[in-house]
Amino acid sequence: MSHETTDHATDHATDNATGDACGCPEYAALSRRGLLRGTLLAGGVAGASASAMFGSAFMETSYAATRSAPRVLVVLSMRGAVDGMSLVVPHGDPVYAKARPRIAIPGESLLAANGFFGLHPEMAPLLPLWQSGKVAAVHATGLPVPNRSHFAAMEEVEDADPGTTRRVGWLNRLVGRDSYEHPLQAIQLGAAAPPTSLIGPSHVAAVQQIKDMKLSGHDKWDTKNRRPRSMNTMWRRTGGPLGAGARRALRAVDDFAPVRNGAATPRNGASYPGNSSLGDALAAAARTIRGDVGAEVITIDHGSWDHHDNLGTLAWGQMQSMTREFSQALAAFFTDLGGLASKVTVVTLSEFGRRTRENANYGLDHGHGNVMLLLGAGVKGGYYGTWPGLTNTADADLLVTTDYRSVLAEVITQRLGASPAAVFPRFSPTPVGAVLSR
């Protein structure tokens, strides 16, 4: 079956948001690897608390003052491979309910439903944004070839340059597209280590919390600024990559002051979900955007969505609670931004989707195709993509009909004026139609 869905035409893991065990050995190992990497790098910056700067440390860079970012791209990575068919449900495909007799979401429960798709009921906080035409769902997206390894698939998605041995992420290529260079142009929030998408020659920053982006020892007791003076004196004439990196870190800490000193209280009555790492990271993102320190790209990780078991039903399970947290946090983010929302576009990504058929543990195993969500400025709301039709066999996946790079290429072209050829080498994107021009 082929169904055009453009609405305008028509293994277990730990490290999840709630701390529940899941059990995919590869994902658990990956999480430990990420933790170790973050710990090591957090100690690698001269005096800069838990923050870290990345990029080429082998050249001296002279920075101008930070420039304003007229448009901001927020990339939210749903780690662990979310089940896109639970978020955006293909209720019109007869195989969907048959393949998931216990966990399928009934069509009558869906939000914003048309004849074929509908949203998970726990996405209700995002319904006003959807109804205002500011949310798009592009279904059956993903890597061109299936890759069921969390680690390898994440690397492939975020590098986005298959066939090369250069380890440069697509967002690093994006911020390196012109002569302006500053570590605050791209920031990972909520983790002190950058994702693969930010790795490369352009300098970027990663910080667990905004308050961490400071010079260690420069606190309320340092009333005469002795700590920054001594650090600047020590590193002023130091040559080589270490000296250049130290000066870069000190400058970035200084330039981050408008964010660090800004009010932490959300604005416009925004209420982020309590005890939520995603809510905390998005609140930090809103605060960073208000600080206007030139952050053109902000990345946030959230997960794990690796639901081999306990994905559950509408009455219980991880999908229910995590979708609620995800939706509440994003709705609060746009409320918090107020008028600044007119320059902010959010894109969600996941390394792969889940199998079509449920397993014996009220869960879903690793699959292929998935859904990408676009929210905010420049988004032309609705359902997009070409639906390939589902197959009800034990190893059947949702097939990919739209390369995920086509979606990203449209965002960076229409919103940031970037060249897809520079960001996604040797790739020719196909039009999706979900993003308006600048």
Side-chain angles (χ1 to χ4, degrees):
M1 181 184 75
S2 179
H3 180 85
E4 292 294 334
T5 59
T6 302
D7 198 33
H8 312 283
T10 124
D11 351 35
H12 307 291
T14 56
D15 192 36
N16 62 24
T18 58
D20 293 328
C22 192
C24 174
E26 184 205 33
Y27 198 72
L30 174 62
S31 299
R32 288 193 294 273
R33 187 180 303 118
L35 176 61
L36 287 170
R37 182 178 61 171
T39 302
L40 290 170
L41 289 175
V45 178
S49 190
S51 61
M53 307 303 156
F54 302 87
S56 172
F58 299 96
M59 65 174 66
E60 181 77 51
T61 302
S62 177
Y63 297 112
T66 57
R67 70 179 182 186
S68 180
R71 293 177 178 81
V72 181
L73 171 62
V74 177
V75 179
L76 200 169
S77 295
M78 305 175 81
R79 302 291 182 183
V82 66
D83 176 40
M85 286 191 282
S86 287
L87 288 179
V88 179
V89 179
H91 68 96
D93 190 317
V95 172
Y96 167 75
K98 291 179 181 176
R100 300 180 174 193
R102 298 174 301 170
I103 67 171
I105 301 174
E108 60 271 21
S109 303
L110 299 174
L111 305 176
N114 64 11
F116 201 85
F117 286 124
L119 305 179
H120 192 292
E122 294 291 352
M123 293 177 72
L126 292 175
L127 196 55
L129 204 60
W130 176 279
Q131 290 169 336
S132 65
K134 293 296 184 183
V135 182
V138 189
H139 229 317
T141 64
L143 291 165
V145 178
N147 184 337
R148 303 187 200 284
S149 161
H150 290 293
F151 182 69
M154 283 182 196
E155 185 89 6
E156 189 173 350
V157 166
E158 297 189 351
D159 182 82
D161 186 14
T164 180
T165 57
R166 296 192 69 211
R167 194 163 188 265
V168 181
W170 71 275
L171 287 172
N172 197 281
R173 291 193 292 273
L174 175 66
V175 298
R177 69 188 185 281
D178 59 24
S179 60
Y180 176 75
E181 187 171 356
H182 195 291
L184 299 183
Q185 193 177 1
I187 305 176
Q188 163 84 353
L189 293 173
T196 298
S197 58
L198 287 180
I199 296 291
S202 295
H203 307 124
V204 301
V207 62
Q208 181 78 37
Q209 302 177 75
I210 284 175
K211 66 181 179 63
D212 297 333
M213 189 74 162
K214 66 178 184 180
L215 190 63
S216 296
H218 185 209
D219 50 31
K220 62 182 180 181
W221 291 282
D222 184 21
T223 57
K224 297 184 178 179
N225 293 320
R226 290 175 176 168
R227 181 67 167 167
R229 285 209 311 274
S230 65
M231 293 292 287
N232 278 296
T233 299
M234 182 167 68
W235 293 107
R236 183 177 301 144
R237 294 185 176 83
T238 301
L242 187 59
R247 289 188 291 277
R248 187 180 306 121
L250 292 169
R251 179 63 182 270
V253 167
D254 283 348
D255 289 344
F256 200 66
V259 179
R260 192 171 51 247
N261 298 334
T265 305
R267 298 189 180 181
N268 308 308
S271 178
Y272 291 92
N275 193 29
S276 166
S277 60
L278 177 61
D280 292 346
L282 284 168
R287 192 172 158 191
T288 299
I289 293 165
R290 277 196 297 273
D292 197 22
V293 293
E296 185 179 44
V297 171
I298 295 174
T299 59
I300 294 171
D301 292 349
H302 181 237
S304 159
W305 296 84
D306 193 15
H307 295 136
H308 292 273
D309 56 21
N310 198 31
L311 180 140
T313 70
L314 281 184
W316 61 271
Q318 285 291 310
M319 197 71 204
Q320 174 204 46
S321 58
M322 291 184 68
T323 301
R324 183 188 312 128
E325 177 195 4
F326 169 83
S327 303
Q328 289 176 344
L330 277 170
F333 173 64
F334 281 103
T335 300
D336 193 359
L337 286 174
L340 291 174
S342 63
K343 69 176 190 178
V344 180
T345 307
V346 176
V347 178
T348 71
L349 273 174
S350 206
E351 61 263 38
F352 48 73
R354 315 298 296 191
R355 289 270 170 82
T356 300
R357 181 184 287 185
E358 68 181 40
N359 62 26
N361 300 315
Y362 283 88
L364 295 160
D365 298 322
H366 297 183
H368 186 201
N370 211 336
V371 70
M372 293 174 67
L373 299 176
L374 309 175
L375 306 96
V379 174
K380 187 179 179 182
Y383 298 110
Y384 293 86
T386 300
W387 188 251
L390 298 174
T391 302
N392 190 7
T393 58
D395 59 352
D397 293 331
L398 171 61
L399 301 178
V400 168
T401 57
T402 300
D403 190 302
Y404 77 105
R405 291 170 293 179
S406 288
V407 183
L408 299 177
E410 191 163 289
V411 173
I412 64 167
T413 303
Q414 302 286 36
R415 296 301 300 160
L416 302 178
S419 161
V423 179
F424 303 106
R426 299 173 296 283
F427 175 68
S428 298
T430 55
V432 177
V435 185
L436 302 170
S437 66
R438 303 175 73 198

